[in-house]
Each structure stands twice: as structure tokens, then as C-alpha cells.
Amino acid sequence: MDKQQMAIVGGGMVGSILALLLARFVPQTHITLLDKQPTTTATQRPSFDGRSTAIAPTTVDCFKQLGLWPQLQGGVTPIAKIHISDRGHAGLGLFDGDDNHGEPLGYVVENARLGPVLMQALANEPTISTIAGEATQLHFNGQGAELCWQTIHQDQAVGDIARALFNVVLVCDGAASPLRQRLGIGAKTVDYQQHALVANVRHSLAHNSQAYERFTARGPLALLPRGGHAGARESTVVWTCPNAELADIQSMSAAERLSALQAQFGYRLGLFTEMSEPVFYPLELVIAQEQVRSRLVLMGNAAHFLHPVAGQGFNLAVRDCLRLVETFKSAAARNQDLGALALLQDYAKAQYADQRNTIGMSHGFNRVFTRAPLPMQLLRTAGFLALELNPFMREQFIGLLSGRAQGQVRL
């Protein structure tokens, strides 16, 4: 039989991982990967910049299934401990390898390192065709989904509109998702009235492979260990602030910004000595009102964009990819049409609980820990105490953080 044709719109981290999973585990398909940036040059892709990403054990397992973990393992930093605190209050939580069967609770990978590994893997897959182009339209008819695009050359759209017919189109073009909007798919949006400052910082004490999540009245503050080993003295900071304070933070000198960070975080890492040029991102929750239609699936940030607290957005998207590929793999073995609505609805139902619980945790954390009334403070302190003393709650919490609460997909 001819291979079923699949298109992926958006070649960032999620789109690239999805393409590789399909190529490896659903060989009955041919994948066209469409992205506005040159698809062979990781350094030009916004996803693969100087930021770092926390990857959960389920995401590590995904990289192992793709055979990419040996290439990544030497440059990642294990998260041996997670320290959670509530600034100005008694709440405190500490998690370590004993909570994850003696294994690290996760890892931190530099996006600039992950990008070239993914790009090389894409180039090595004969069933993946990469195109530098911008999707312009998507139409559906009795034969399939017709995707239209214009080729991109040196950041400019050139040439006539190209078009091709696919069994299914997978949309991974970001939280704003132009294609989602063109299709008239709405999204539920919660504006947190916050921005995140993301930068790399150096500090006078070694991080000892420990990550920090500190909740303050201004919003969560996270530090993720970098440098590849416990003795390194550098971390990635994700520092949220109310929109009303954004202009003040942006106008600060480098020294003033370090001092403000020190005041918010404290001295568990000693003195902060240097910060890279920060990047600021508006924070909101975006949930697509439809994730599947006949011959269409929204994936990654196009399906759900989360607050960065607890670092769950990317890891949830990877689990979505694993679940979808599991659905396709089983259906392809039975020679089923991979774009059939009933099949795609099966995927959405299978992944619903994971999405609901993970989004609920991320949203709830930010809401509960940025409200100052006394009843809320007492609730937070009681919650921390329960996590420390109740083994069942502790296990459930780690299950959510690790991505294993709804079971692990092995292809």
C-alpha cells in the first residue's frame, strides 16, 4: 500500500519530536514538516535559543525510545532535588531521588543543545521531507486535507502557492497558532496579568543539582540547575512579575536586577553575580476549544499553552505526542485511515485526563500562591505539611510532576 501522507505545521521542539516519533513507529506514513525557518539550521529556530527546558522522566523515556538520549545525556543537568518554598511563610517541600525510585526527578537541557540533535535526526529520516514555508490555507474535502503554503527564502515568502493533499494535518504552530485562527477554532484564554523574565544566572555557591520553586506574592520564581554537574554555579531563572511592575524591571540596570532577584530568592545559592540578557514573555493560559477535527489535530502550544510554574507545558506536549503516535501505530497496523474523526477522537479521549490534571495543577499553583489573604496562606501551609507527612499525597504529587500519573506510553 502507498504510505499515508501526514503534514506537520511547525518544526519547533514539539513538531520535530512528533515527526521523529511518526517516522520511527508508524513507518506506513510519509511526513512533510513545514516551518517558516530553514528546517536544517537549528540556530535560526526561535525554539532553540539560549533558554533551558526542564524535562520530566516521561520525556527522557521518549528520547530513549527515539535513540537520542545518548547524544543528549552528556550535556544535560540532572535534577536530584526540588526545593519548594513559600516566601515569608512556613511552607516548605523537599523532594529527592527517593521519591522517584532512586532516579533523578528530571533533567535540564539547553535548547541550543537539543536543537542540533533533533535537526540531525530529522535529516537522517528518509520518510520526513522538510520544507521552509508558511502555511496559508487548509481545506478539507472527501479526499483529504489540502494544505497550502508559500516557500520561505531568507525570511521572505517567495514563489507561487504550493499545495498538497494529506490524510491528516498536525498543527504545531504555537500558542497564537495562525492556522488555528484561520480554521475558526476558538481558544479559552486566561490572562494572568504577569510576565516571565527568563535568563541564565551565575551564583557563588554550587547548585548541587537542586531546582528551586519559590512562590512569592508577585508570582512564582524558579531556578533550574545548569552546567552538567552538581558543582556548577549557574542556573536558568524563570521569574514572574505583575504587568504593573514590568516596566520597572525592564528599566533596571544589570546590577539592580541582580539585587532585586536576590531579595526575592534569598541566599541558598549564595550571591548572584551575573545575569544574561533577559527575555520577557507575557503569561497566559490558552486552551483550544477543539483539539481534533476530521483530518486535523492541534498539538503543542497550539492545543494548550500553560503558565511555566512547575515546568509542565513542554512535557505535557511530549506525552500528547506519545499518545497520538500510539493511536496511529495501532490503527496503521489495521490499515485504518489515520485521519478518520473517530480515531482522532479516541486519541483526545485517551489523553483528556492527563491534560485536565496537568493544566489544573499549573493553573491552580499560580492562583493559590499569588494570593495573600490569611485563609489562603493557611491553606498553602497546610498543603505543604500534607505533602511532607502524607506518603499517598506525596506520591500523587510526584506522579503529576513526572508525567506518570496517567501511566506511561511505550511504543
Side-chain angles (χ1 to χ4, degrees), residues 190-382:
V190 178
D191 185 350
Y192 290 119
Q193 296 294 307
Q194 296 173 332
H195 270 68
L197 176 157
V198 181
N200 298 322
V201 294
R202 294 188 179 276
H203 34 79
S204 61
L205 298 180
H207 54 57
N208 293 318
S209 299
Q210 184 160 283
Y212 294 87
E213 187 80 52
R214 187 155 173 76
F215 294 98
T216 79
R218 293 179 172 86
L221 168 62
L223 277 95
L224 305 173
R226 284 169 52 96
H229 59 91
R233 301 183 180 190
E234 56 182 301
S235 300
T236 288
V237 59
V238 182
W239 181 14
T240 62
C241 70
N243 287 350
E245 299 180 10
L246 176 63
D248 291 339
I249 294 177
Q250 288 177 322
S251 65
M252 288 179 178
S253 67
E256 290 171 334
R257 204 172 284 131
L258 278 176
S259 178
L261 176 62
Q262 193 87 65
Q264 288 293 304
F265 179 75
Y267 292 87
R268 289 186 177 90
L269 291 171
L271 292 174
F272 292 117
T273 59
E274 187 180 347
M275 179 186 293
S276 67
E277 188 64 28
V279 181
F280 296 86
Y281 298 92
L283 299 181
E284 58 184 357
L285 172 66
V286 180
I287 305 175
Q289 292 178 337
E290 299 175 72
Q291 288 190 29
V292 301
R293 287 181 177 178
S294 178
R295 308 202 176 280
L296 174 76
V297 187
L298 302 186
M299 301 292 291
N301 287 343
H304 41 67
F305 179 73
L306 280 58
H307 193 286
V309 62
Q312 291 298 304
F314 171 66
N315 294 293
L316 175 60
V318 171
R319 296 198 299 275
D320 289 347
C321 291
L322 288 166
R323 187 73 66 187
L324 181 64
V325 172
E326 177 188 51
T327 302
F328 283 155
K329 179 182 178 182
S330 177
R334 301 190 297 270
N335 292 325
Q336 292 181 313
D337 180 1
L338 301 186
L341 178 59
L343 179 69
L344 302 181
Q345 288 174 330
D346 286 344
Y347 150 73
K349 291 175 183 176
Q351 194 57 11
Y352 173 74
D354 191 7
Q355 291 185 7
R356 178 198 61 202
N357 293 339
T358 305
I359 292 170
M361 177 180 67
S362 174
H363 180 66
F365 267 13
N366 184 60
R367 285 298 198 224
V368 169
F369 283 95
T370 54
R371 294 182 177 179
L374 181 60
M376 192 67 73
Q377 294 174 13
L378 295 175
L379 177 63
R380 297 197 307 246
T381 301

Side-chain angles (χ1 to χ4, degrees), residues 35-57:
D35 191 88
K36 291 191 291 185
Q37 297 294 332
T39 51
T40 56
T41 309
T43 56
Q44 298 182 13
R45 308 288 281 278
S47 298
F48 306 130
D49 56 15
R51 292 172 293 174
S52 296
T53 298
I55 55 176

Side-chain angles (χ1 to χ4, degrees), residues 5 19 68 86 109 119 221 226 278 328 378:
Q5 299 296 316
L68 301 180
D86 188 3
V109 61
M119 294 299 99
L221 168 62
R226 284 169 52 96
F328 283 155
L378 295 175

Side-chain angles (χ1 to χ4, degrees), residues 180-193:
R180 184 187 69 209
Q181 294 181 43
R182 289 193 184 102
L183 292 169
I185 297 176
K188 175 187 176 182
T189 301
V190 178
D191 185 350
Y192 290 119
Q193 296 294 307

Side-chain angles (χ1 to χ4, degrees), residues 170-185:
L170 311 171
V171 179
C172 307
D173 59 348
S177 186
L179 203 50
R180 184 187 69 209
Q181 294 181 43
R182 289 193 184 102
L183 292 169
I185 297 176

